[in-house]
Amino acid sequence: MVGLVGGSTARAEHVVANAGGEAEYVRRMHRHAPTEHQCTSTLVKHIKAPVHLVWELVRRFDQPQRYKPFVRNCVVRGDQLEVGSLRDVNVKTGLPATTSTERLEQLDDDLHILGVKFVGGDHRLQNYSSIITVHPESIDGRPGTLVIESFVVDVPDGNTKDETCYFVEAVIKCNLNSLAEVSEQLAVESPTSLIDQ
Amino acid sequence: MVMASAGVNVPGGDEVRNPTAASASTPECRMRRRHRLEPQGSGDAAAAAAPGPSWVRRLRPAASRFSPSPSPSLSPSSSQSSADRPNDEEQEELDHEVEVELAPAGPQLEPGEAEGEPEAEAVAVAPQVWPVAFGSLSMAGRMRMMEDAVSLHPDLCTWAADGSPMHFFGVFDGHGGSHVSALCRDRMHEVVAEELAREGATFLRRRQESAASGSAAWSERAEEERAWRAALQRGFRRVDDMAALACACGRVARPSCSCPLAGTSSGIVGSTAVVALLVRGRLVVANCGDSRAVLCRGPAGTPPVPLSSDHKPNRADEKARIEAAGGRVVFNNGHRVRGILAMSRALGDRLLRPEVIAEPEITVTERTVEDECLILASDGMWDVISNDIACNVARQCLEDGNPPPADPTAGGGGGAPAAGVVVVAAREAEPRCLRAASLLARLAIGRETQDNVSIVVVDLKHRD
């Protein structure tokens, strides 16, 4: 279950365990400065898979389709993958956009931080910027991962802040649920997880 | 009004029964039923042969046979306008994938309908002939991916009560990938046939029990409809359950497929499904999503009869259901569930449950001799062609064998599809149903639909 914490327009859907730790991560790593016409929110997901497996999926700026269910394929421009690189994401049919051009803003393999900004495409998410971080935790005595994703985005004409937050949160929830499914599947299949246990 | 009569000259004359035989038809009908059930295997034959000796089939009074049935209470909501869809001008390559399926079915001579009313007149009325012929055409249009699928299965199975043939036609418009629509194309008819056999056996048992108990509450017509509805509902549910196990590589299995596409591409993948069952003088339509079935009835100018209602998230009752399930409808290049999906019902789409459900809405419509044709199509066509225009185009193709005049509402250049978009076969060689489907598809492309287009046209008069 994906929960909401922090953020200026966040809604507390339920009380989450280990709130202190999460709040600290949010305070230090998920700072956004929304303007009057923007909305922002933060979501968390607990995944029963070791942090290295989850991070390996999250950090692949060139292959978001490995866990994002909305992505059909992705092409990174240029040869070198580094901060500032652009990717052109093609979205699956039936969804409210067909393409999104995105820039890699942060990639920290030590702190497990990925930052991405939308810079083009036919979606309605102007000035969208997101930060996703992963953190080791223990779930039922086994190595697990706490994933936190936050975003800020302009409110499109014709929508309310509440609607915009709701829509973006819906997409992120799909992404995080899929991330959990894929990484938990990898954890079951991976011989490494046996050693960890 | 012209009534079909005994001895009418129809193809496959060996199936025509003369008036003399009609008066002593009971043993012959039983023989026919047994004959028709032979390909189904002994199990089905045994089930079909179950009716007790007390059962007697009665003919309906002639007058009620041709009374027009009321239109289904459901009416289609406004089609999503083309402005609601993202402009795909960057797709400079137009895909020429064209799937043409053609298999005209011979006319079906079917026994007259059995009625339970004890007051029915013992009128010797010749059985009504309910012809079926069809054609379909699918094309990717401006989308690069082809995610539509069409399923054509005339004489799919026979109805247990009387051996009448049941014809199956379906259109499935996939999104997010093609494997759910492909699954529907490959399995929906099989699953529905299984459920119809099951419901048929139940129907026969219940009828026998009702006759044995002398119950006056038995209504053959209502019980048949209940059975058909139940079969379709279960069929949709079973295929939707399979969709959860469907992998993008095409495999449906538990545990999940182990190929690289497993899991990661099954989240936002789904399909519409509009299915028509034609049995004796009735049209049964089950719809889930925003494809559509429309009946062209009567001479030119008669309003089309919608047999399905589009499942759009902003349809008042659908929006209420979505909100009751804890979801929301957000406008985002169109009204969308969670701002994500532009239809409120679909098979698949696990990540959007519980708001997006796979339960079909079902209509049962009485055929009349004035019915021209049935059109099943994906929203790639209905978004740019109204029910009225579709019916007029199809009617004229079927009546004249010639296309109607150029579309007056289209601009000079825009009216004609771009060269090479559509493969046009020699007109003289095309049966009329295929010609109607082809013309409708070209019209949709000419009106710049942005989506895949799939069209099935069923000629209910079987001209030619």
Side-chain angles (χ1 to χ4, degrees):
Chain A
M1 184 59 197
V2 182
L4 297 175
V5 300
S8 64
T9 60
R11 297 172 294 245
E13 289 187 350
H14 68 272
V15 177
V16 296
N18 195 25
E22 290 172 16
E24 178 62 17
Y25 291 137
V26 170
R27 191 184 63 79
R28 287 195 292 110
M29 302 168 123
H30 290 269
R31 295 171 175 270
H32 297 281
T35 68
E36 178 184 353
H37 302 291
Q38 291 184 319
C39 67
T40 183
S41 186
T42 305
L43 298 87
V44 300
K45 176 72 176 178
H46 299 274
I47 298 178
K48 299 177 179 178
V51 66
H52 72 276
L53 283 183
V54 177
W55 176 242
E56 190 57 33
L57 287 166
V58 166
R59 74 180 296 285
R60 294 299 301 268
F61 181 72
D62 56 332
Q63 290 185 30
Q65 69 271 24
R66 289 187 68 197
Y67 80 90
K68 292 189 174 184
F70 290 74
V71 174
R72 184 161 57 84
N73 57 41
C74 170
V75 177
V76 175
R77 302 183 187 180
D79 297 329
Q80 192 68 28
L81 183 53
E82 58 197 350
V83 168
S85 293
L86 295 178
R87 68 183 177 189
D88 291 299
V89 174
N90 290 307
V91 179
K92 287 182 176 177
T93 59
L95 301 174
T98 62
T99 64
S100 179
T101 303
E102 305 172 0
R103 181 169 65 218
L104 177 59
E105 301 279 285
Q106 288 186 74
L107 178 57
D108 188 323
D109 280 306
D110 296 321
L111 296 179
H112 297 151
I113 306 174
L114 177 75
V116 173
K117 178 164 186 167
F118 289 5
V119 297
D122 59 0
H123 50 74
R124 303 172 76 230
L125 301 177
Q126 299 302 310
N127 292 312
Y128 178 91
S129 183
S130 79
I131 297 172
I132 184 168
T133 61
V134 305
H135 313 271
E137 67 174 3
S138 177
I139 302 176
D140 301 330
R142 295 185 173 182
T145 303
L146 167 66
V147 182
I148 308 178
E149 180 158 3
S150 62
F151 68 88
V152 62
V153 67
D154 291 359
V155 176
D157 289 341
N159 290 121
T160 64
K161 282 189 180 183
D162 189 51
E163 282 174 338
T164 306
C165 258
Y166 177 82
F167 160 62
V168 178
E169 285 166 358
V171 174
I172 293 175
K173 286 175 187 174
C174 287
N175 289 342
L176 293 180
N177 285 333
S178 181
L179 175 63
E181 185 180 329
V182 174
S183 49
E184 286 169 1
Q185 183 68 30
L186 289 175
V188 169
E189 295 166 357
S190 168
T192 306
S193 67
L194 296 177
I195 299 176
D196 289 350
Q197 294 165 8
Chain B
M1 180 180 299
V2 178
M3 290 175 55
S5 60
V8 63
N9 182 19
V10 297
D14 57 305
E15 293 188 13
V16 177
R17 292 178 287 156
N18 58 57
T20 304
S23 62
S25 60
T26 302
E28 183 179 2
C29 287
R30 286 178 183 164
M31 182 67 68
R32 287 178 175 275
R33 280 200 301 278
R34 241 174 261 116
H35 174 73
R36 287 181 182 170
L37 288 170
E38 281 171 11
Q40 298 288 323
S42 58
D44 289 337
S54 62
W55 176 78
V56 175
R57 189 172 61 86
R58 296 185 180 88
L59 296 178
R60 282 177 52 192
S64 63
R65 182 181 298 268
F66 304 112
S67 60
S69 64
S71 298
S73 59
L74 302 172
S75 62
S77 58
S78 303
S79 296
Q80 192 175 15
S81 68
S82 59
D84 288 339
R85 291 173 177 272
N87 192 336
D88 208 11
E89 296 299 341
E90 299 175 26
Q91 297 286 350
E92 295 182 358
E93 294 178 273
L94 294 175
D95 202 311
H96 300 336
E97 297 176 20
V98 176
E99 300 173 11
V100 178
E101 299 182 53
L102 173 70
Q108 305 297 324
L109 182 63
E110 303 171 16
E113 295 174 8
E115 284 295 324
E117 299 95 341
E119 299 85 5
E121 303 172 23
V123 177
V125 178
Q128 178 66 30
V129 177
W130 298 109
V132 170
F134 57 90
S136 80
L137 187 143
S138 297
M139 62 181 63
R142 293 167 195 270
M143 301 282 279
R144 181 168 296 166
M145 292 75 65
M146 182 43 159
E147 293 170 333
D148 280 9
V150 168
S151 180
L152 309 171
H153 292 278
D155 289 310
L156 171 66
C157 55
T158 58
W159 176 233
D162 58 5
S164 299
M166 305 189 88
H167 310 290
F168 177 103
F169 304 102
V171 166
F172 313 103
D173 180 357
H175 54 264
S178 60
H179 48 283
V180 176
S181 56
L183 174 69
C184 291
R185 175 196 63 213
D186 297 338
R187 303 294 296 275
M188 177 70 83
H189 63 289
E190 293 172 357
V191 171
V192 167
E194 288 172 16
E195 294 298 333
L196 285 166
R198 183 197 313 247
E199 290 294 333
T202 300
F203 175 89
L204 291 176
R205 188 179 67 248
R206 287 160 54 95
R207 185 169 66 177
Q208 191 173 9
E209 290 168 355
S210 175
S213 68
S215 167
W218 177 266
S219 165
E220 188 94 347
R221 170 178 300 273
E223 288 294 332
E224 280 187 326
E225 286 193 18
R226 187 206 62 76
W228 298 337
R229 287 172 182 269
L232 286 163
Q233 281 169 345
R234 280 188 52 83
F236 272 59
R237 188 181 313 136
R238 285 177 57 190
V239 174
D240 178 59
D241 288 343
M242 289 180 201
L245 306 175
C247 178
C249 72
R251 186 167 174 256
V252 178
R254 189 192 297 274
S256 60
C257 186
S258 59
C259 86
L261 295 175
T264 60
S265 53
S266 61
I268 306 285
V269 189
S271 179
T272 71
V274 61
V275 163
L277 276 182
L278 278 66
V279 52
R280 293 201 310 268
R282 271 175 282 182
L283 305 170
V284 189
V285 170
N287 179 56
C288 182
D290 61 359
S291 296
R292 192 185 298 168
V294 173
L295 173 63
C296 305
R297 172 166 280 177
T302 307
V305 180
L307 302 186
S308 67
S309 177
D310 298 358
H311 290 131
K312 297 291 192 181
N314 57 326
R315 203 178 93 178
D317 55 339
E318 288 293 281
K319 186 178 182 189
R321 179 183 62 73
I322 289 162
E323 291 175 351
R328 286 175 69 175
V329 177
V330 176
F331 188 91
N332 185 11
N333 289 338
H335 295 280
R336 295 176 179 266
V337 180
R338 301 188 201 171
I340 294 171
L341 191 67
M343 64 195 73
S344 55
R345 300 192 194 197
L347 286 79
D349 286 319
R350 263 337 185 251
L351 286 176
L352 298 176
R353 299 293 159 99
E355 300 100 298
V356 174
I357 63 175
E359 182 179 337
E361 280 187 324
I362 299 172
T363 63
V364 182
T365 304
E366 189 78 21
R367 283 174 70 172
T368 73
V369 294
E370 290 187 327
D371 293 345
E372 300 271 348
C373 66
L374 171 66
I375 303 177
L376 306 178
S378 58
D379 66 341
M381 186 194 91
W382 300 115
D383 281 347
V384 294
I385 298 179
S386 69
N387 292 0
D388 285 274
I389 290 178
C391 284
N392 289 336
V393 168
R395 178 187 292 108
Q396 193 151 1
C397 280
L398 295 174
E399 285 175 352
D400 303 341
N402 291 311
D407 179 13
T409 65
V421 171
V422 179
V423 176
V424 180
R427 182 161 297 162
E428 294 72 24
E430 292 182 6
R432 298 182 188 198
C433 295
L434 177 57
R435 192 174 305 125
S438 174
L439 187 58
L440 288 168
R442 282 184 280 156
L443 183 58
I445 297 295
R447 292 185 164 190
E448 298 184 1
T449 182
Q450 301 295 318
D451 199 355
N452 300 155
V453 175
S454 288
I455 303 169
V456 175
V457 174
V458 182
D459 183 356
L460 299 175
K461 289 187 169 177
H462 194 212
R463 285 148 278 213
D464 277 330

